[in-house]
């Protein structure tokens, strides 16, 4: 073989092997997932359950990311995390896939092909009860399909490289890190209900145990978030104002918090606000776990 031909072949082969390796290793990590036993809870059809499902979808931010008509959302360049994140049309998805597939995506961070999700915050939904999960699925399946075709999602080579060498965790791994619920529902039912709300609504951004920091700040996509023990400094009234309008005590406009709160939290009932406030305002009495990987040392 002529030397020149050999050089040309090497020039083609070396990058191919490199990219192929990164692709293969990142896919291997994303596909290293085991689904729990399929979700077989009965899916309700009564009006009260559908309304409950809508309430879960609203307060857990499904509309915020998947569109106000669940028509899907192209994050385009809004997020520089994967090359292009696209939240699918949820109403269409819920018609195409069965309850177990939807449950795996929402509570386990595993997509319809058995691959780990990379942007969807399933770690925030890990603790949703079977009843709430079933109501949510019932609502999604009943939602009318709107919207037009969305572009294809793209992971991008730098993110693949991070997954390939284990420098970045996919959502399945984040889900596994969410701590268990701790408040005893028999001894302290109100705080237990509040913990359930906080650990399925606020830990998307306020740290997996709501004691500050999160995926968002770890990946550099937002400001660090405070430990929600800060709520002890809020009156019940100011807390309600914050959740309904996004304005912090003293009428302060915040960043991301002021954007998401008015979209999600005005739907909370008074009792839910009471429960959430009871749980969060008692947090200063509880120790903050140390050496948590998502909470950088200061
Ligand atoms: C912070 C934004 C965000 C929120 C909040 C969110 N999603 Fe997603 N979701 C996404 C993105 C982005 C994807 C695309 C997959 C990926 O990149 O992880 C996705 C994908 C999905 C999928 C498809 C999984 C597959 O098979 O590909 C389902 C189902 C889903 N989301 C359901 C929900 C439900 C139900 C809620 C509310 C409880 C919700 N999502 C809240 C952003 C979000
Ligand atoms: C989508 C991300 C997100 C979610 C979900 C979220 N927060 Fe926040 N929150 C933030 C960020 C970011 C800040 C820091 C200020 C800012 O940049 O907006 C913040 C700040 C706060 C503050 C501090 C206000 C102050 O006085 O400075 C409180 C209290 C708070 N959030 C409560 C909550 C509660 C309670 C929930 C759940 C019901 C919640 N947040 C859900 C992102 C979020």
């Amino acid at each position: 073989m002529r030397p020149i031909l050999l050089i040309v072949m090497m020039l083609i082969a070396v990058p191919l092997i490199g990219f192929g390796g990164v692709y293969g290793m990142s896919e291997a990590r994303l596909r290293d997932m085991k689904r729990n036993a399929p979700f077989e809870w009965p899916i309700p059809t009564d009006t009260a359950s559908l309304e409950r499902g809508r309430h879960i979808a609203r307060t857990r931010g499904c509309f915020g990311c998947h569109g106000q008509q669940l028509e899907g959302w192209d994050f385009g360049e809004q997020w520089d995390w994967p090359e292009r994140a696209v939240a699918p049309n949820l109403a269409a998805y819920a018609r195409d896939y069965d309850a177990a597939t939807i449950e795996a995506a929402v509570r386990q961070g595993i997509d319809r092909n058995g691959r780990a999700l990379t942007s969807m915050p399933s770690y925030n939904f890990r603790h949703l009860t079977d009843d709430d999960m079933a109501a949510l699925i019932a609502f999604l399946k009943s939602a009318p399909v709107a919207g037009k075709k969305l572009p294809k999602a793209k992971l991008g080579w730098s993110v693949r490289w991070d997954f390939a060498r284990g420098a970045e965790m996919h959502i399945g791994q984040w889900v596994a890190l969410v701590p268990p619920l701790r408040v005893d529902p028999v001894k302290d039912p109100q705080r237990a209900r509040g913990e359930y709300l906080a650990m399925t609504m606020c830990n998307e951004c306020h740290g997996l145990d709501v004691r500050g920091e999160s995926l968002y700040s770890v990946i550099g996509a937002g400001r660090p978030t405070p430990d929600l023990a800060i709520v002890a400094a809020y009156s019940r009234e100011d807390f309600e104002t914050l959740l309904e309008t996004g304005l912090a005590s003293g009428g302060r406009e915040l960043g991301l918090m002021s954007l998401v709160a008015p979209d999600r939290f005005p739907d909370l009932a008074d009792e839910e606000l009471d429960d959430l406030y009871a749980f969060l305002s008692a947090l200063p009495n509880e120790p903050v776990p140390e050496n948590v990987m998502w909470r950088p040392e200061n």
Side-chain angles (χ1 to χ4, degrees):
M1 195 185 291
R2 285 203 211 132
I4 182 80
L5 200 61
L6 197 68
I7 291 171
V8 168
M9 277 173 65
M10 296 254 302
L11 281 177
I12 296 171
V14 170
L16 270 185
I17 293 169
F19 278 109
V22 169
Y23 186 89
M25 276 162 70
S26 59
E27 281 299 310
R29 290 218 183 238
L30 291 171
R31 290 179 188 278
D32 183 21
M33 293 294 303
K34 234 177 90 198
R35 255 168 72 160
N36 298 338
F39 184 65
E40 283 171 346
W41 215 250
I43 305 302
T45 50
D46 62 292
T47 323
S49 300
L50 290 180
E51 176 50 29
R52 174 74 188 161
R54 191 203 58 78
H55 181 69
I56 299 291
R58 173 53 68 194
T59 51
R60 270 62 175 183
C62 316
F63 289 100
C65 284
H66 286 268
Q68 297 299 328
Q69 295 173 283
L70 303 174
E71 74 277 21
W73 190 260
D74 172 19
F75 283 89
E77 277 153 23
Q78 219 172 314
W79 279 353
D80 55 6
W81 150 238
E83 206 162 292
R84 179 172 221 147
V86 181
N89 184 323
L90 263 191
Y93 187 99
R95 271 159 215 244
D96 290 347
Y97 297 98
D98 63 10
T101 307
I102 302 173
E103 187 274 341
V106 175
R107 289 200 304 199
Q108 304 177 53
I110 304 176
D111 79 5
R112 60 197 180 280
N113 302 314
R115 186 170 176 262
L117 292 167
T118 56
S119 302
M120 155 86 178
S122 306
Y123 55 89
N124 191 199
F125 312 127
R126 172 185 179 163
H127 287 303
L128 279 180
T129 60
D130 291 338
D131 276 339
D132 280 349
M133 190 67 235
L136 175 61
I137 292 171
F139 165 70
L140 295 177
K141 285 190 173 289
S142 76
V145 179
K148 38 185 198 293
K149 207 168 160 16
L150 293 157
K152 248 183 120 67
K154 236 185 174 167
L155 216 43
W157 285 107
S158 72
V159 174
R160 280 200 178 277
W161 173 232
D162 286 345
F163 282 135
R165 62 198 165 98
E168 200 58 76
M169 293 193 308
H170 57 62
I171 297 297
Q173 290 168 304
W174 281 102
V175 168
L177 287 176
V178 180
L181 302 181
R182 291 184 303 176
V183 182
D184 183 339
V186 177
K187 279 201 208 118
D188 202 341
Q190 179 168 53
R191 278 181 57 241
R193 291 194 303 269
E195 180 183 41
Y196 174 65
L197 292 169
M199 292 290 287
T200 55
M201 291 197 305
C202 317
N203 69 344
E204 178 188 341
C205 305
H206 284 275
L208 300 185
D209 56 2
V210 303
R211 302 308 299 264
E213 276 293 345
S214 77
L215 180 58
Y216 285 89
S217 46
V218 173
I219 65 170
R223 276 195 272 175
T225 49
D227 179 343
L228 285 186
I230 192 179
V231 170
Y234 271 70
S235 66
R236 167 69 175 72
E237 199 186 342
D238 284 350
F239 181 64
E240 181 164 346
T241 306
L242 168 66
L243 292 195
E244 289 188 348
T245 65
L247 293 178
S249 55
R252 280 170 300 131
E253 177 92 40
L254 300 170
L256 184 58
M257 183 67 191
S258 294
L259 278 180
V260 295
D263 178 63
R264 301 180 183 185
F265 306 137
D267 221 66
L268 290 172
D270 280 344
E271 308 84 75
E272 288 180 306
L273 287 169
D274 288 340
D275 296 346
L276 196 53
Y277 184 72
F279 171 71
L280 294 175
S281 59
L283 277 182
N285 308 328
E286 303 214 5
V288 184
E290 283 172 19
N291 303 325
V292 174
M293 66 73 52
W294 66 85
R295 201 152 40 227
E297 295 156 41
N298 13 304

